[in-house]
mmCIF file of all heavy atoms in Angstrom:
data_model
loop_
_atom_site.group_PDB
_atom_site.id
_atom_site.type_symbol
_atom_site.label_atom_id
_atom_site.label_comp_id
_atom_site.label_asym_id
_atom_site.label_seq_id
_atom_site.Cartn_x
_atom_site.Cartn_y
_atom_site.Cartn_z
ATOM 1 N N ASP A 335 28.651 13.745 -4.669
ATOM 2 C CA ASP A 335 29.038 14.525 -3.487
ATOM 3 C C ASP A 335 30.546 14.657 -3.326
ATOM 4 O O ASP A 335 31.028 15.234 -2.348
ATOM 5 C CB ASP A 335 28.419 13.932 -2.218
ATOM 6 C CG ASP A 335 28.981 12.545 -1.869
ATOM 7 O OD1 ASP A 335 29.784 12.006 -2.666
ATOM 8 O OD2 ASP A 335 28.607 12.014 -0.810
ATOM 9 N N SER A 353 67.294 4.253 -3.817
ATOM 10 C CA SER A 353 68.709 3.959 -4.042
ATOM 11 C C SER A 353 69.567 4.917 -3.212
ATOM 12 O O SER A 353 69.111 6.008 -2.841
ATOM 13 C CB SER A 353 69.056 4.123 -5.519
ATOM 14 O OG SER A 353 68.990 5.497 -5.885
ATOM 15 N N THR A 407 49.536 -0.284 11.038
ATOM 16 C CA THR A 407 50.403 0.753 10.478
ATOM 17 C C THR A 407 51.143 1.505 11.575
ATOM 18 O O THR A 407 52.205 2.083 11.335
ATOM 19 C CB THR A 407 49.582 1.734 9.628
ATOM 20 O OG1 THR A 407 48.734 1.010 8.726
ATOM 21 C CG2 THR A 407 50.476 2.656 8.809
ATOM 22 N N GLY A 460 38.233 21.516 8.553
ATOM 23 C CA GLY A 460 39.501 22.227 8.483
ATOM 24 C C GLY A 460 40.671 21.382 8.924
ATOM 25 O O GLY A 460 40.824 20.231 8.505
ATOM 26 N N THR A 479 32.326 24.901 -3.485
ATOM 27 C CA THR A 479 31.490 23.850 -4.065
ATOM 28 C C THR A 479 32.375 22.663 -4.390
ATOM 29 O O THR A 479 33.243 22.732 -5.263
ATOM 30 C CB THR A 479 30.789 24.359 -5.346
ATOM 31 O OG1 THR A 479 29.974 25.481 -5.010
ATOM 32 C CG2 THR A 479 29.915 23.266 -5.938
ATOM 33 N N VAL A 499 58.668 26.311 3.288
ATOM 34 C CA VAL A 499 59.809 26.714 2.458
ATOM 35 C C VAL A 499 60.016 28.216 2.513
ATOM 36 O O VAL A 499 61.157 28.715 2.491
ATOM 37 C CB VAL A 499 59.607 26.231 1.006
ATOM 38 C CG1 VAL A 499 60.595 26.906 0.059
ATOM 39 C CG2 VAL A 499 59.751 24.711 0.926
#
Side-chain angles (χ1 to χ4, degrees):
D335 67 355
S353 69
T407 312
T479 300
V499 167

